[in-house]
Amino acid sequence: MTWHKTKAMVHPAVSARGFWVMGDQVTVRAKLVGTALNVIDVTVPPGSGTPPHTHSSAEIFRILEGTLTIWTMIDGVAREYEAEPGDVVTIPGDAPHGYRNAGSVPATFMAIVDDEMIAFFEEAASKDAPSGPPTAEMVSRVIELTGRHGIQILQAA
């Protein structure tokens, strides 16, 4: 065994880096060195979320605050689930999915995502919170970036 080459790491909250992707606030919390695994926190304001989409990477969400409506396509059938604090949502690679916050308070979840998703988030990032709904220019830019990062936006559910 190579115990001498391994070590646990604490990633203090003050070292997290945050930005906005469309209407959601994304905070990169940690990366597991030697893997493609990353931990992020996502805060979804009321009315915000992602359209139905697919990508090759799997994701795991753990709802921390608020409620998210999770949309998935299983065996050709669209389904929606209400995910509440403490719930864990697992999304296999290539599975059609999306989420939205239909509530009146922000929803926050922790996610485990791969390096490609982090690369997409960082390229789509804005330092400043949006002052309103996404503009046509913002939507066009994100759609262009999704194609470069292996994300396919599906028709609305």
Side-chain angles (χ1 to χ4, degrees):
M1 294 203 145
T2 57
W3 294 106
H4 65 282
K5 292 184 180 180
T6 62
K7 66 178 180 175
M9 293 181 65
V10 174
H11 301 269
V14 296
S15 67
R17 54 192 170 85
F19 43 82
W20 292 84
V21 177
M22 297 292 280
D24 296 352
Q25 185 177 25
V26 177
T27 304
V28 179
R29 301 300 309 261
K31 175 171 177 56
L32 184 57
V33 176
T35 75
L37 299 176
N38 299 271
V39 177
I40 62 173
D41 289 340
V42 180
T43 300
V44 185
S48 189
T50 63
H53 63 280
T54 63
H55 43 77
S56 63
S57 61
E59 297 175 302
I60 300 173
F61 300 166
R62 181 168 185 268
I63 311 305
L64 303 174
E65 298 175 350
T67 301
L68 281 181
T69 303
I70 307 291
W71 177 90
T72 61
M73 177 77 68
I74 300 170
D75 297 327
V77 178
R79 297 192 175 135
E80 285 190 346
Y81 305 90
E82 296 299 314
E84 300 175 337
D87 291 347
V88 173
V89 179
T90 57
I91 302 167
D94 297 317
H97 65 285
Y99 64 80
R100 73 179 185 281
N101 180 353
S104 60
V105 298
T108 300
F109 65 95
M110 179 193 82
I112 298 173
V113 299
D114 73 1
D115 288 343
E116 185 61 33
M117 290 305 295
I118 294 293
F120 166 72
F121 291 143
E122 288 176 339
E123 194 168 354
S126 170
K127 292 181 205 171
D128 301 316
S131 58
T135 64
E137 180 183 326
M138 289 169 66
V139 171
S140 293
R141 181 172 174 267
V142 167
I143 288 172
E144 187 253 320
L145 292 174
T146 60
R148 285 206 315 240
H149 290 277
I151 301 167
Q152 180 182 2
I153 303 296
L154 306 174
Q155 285 189 331

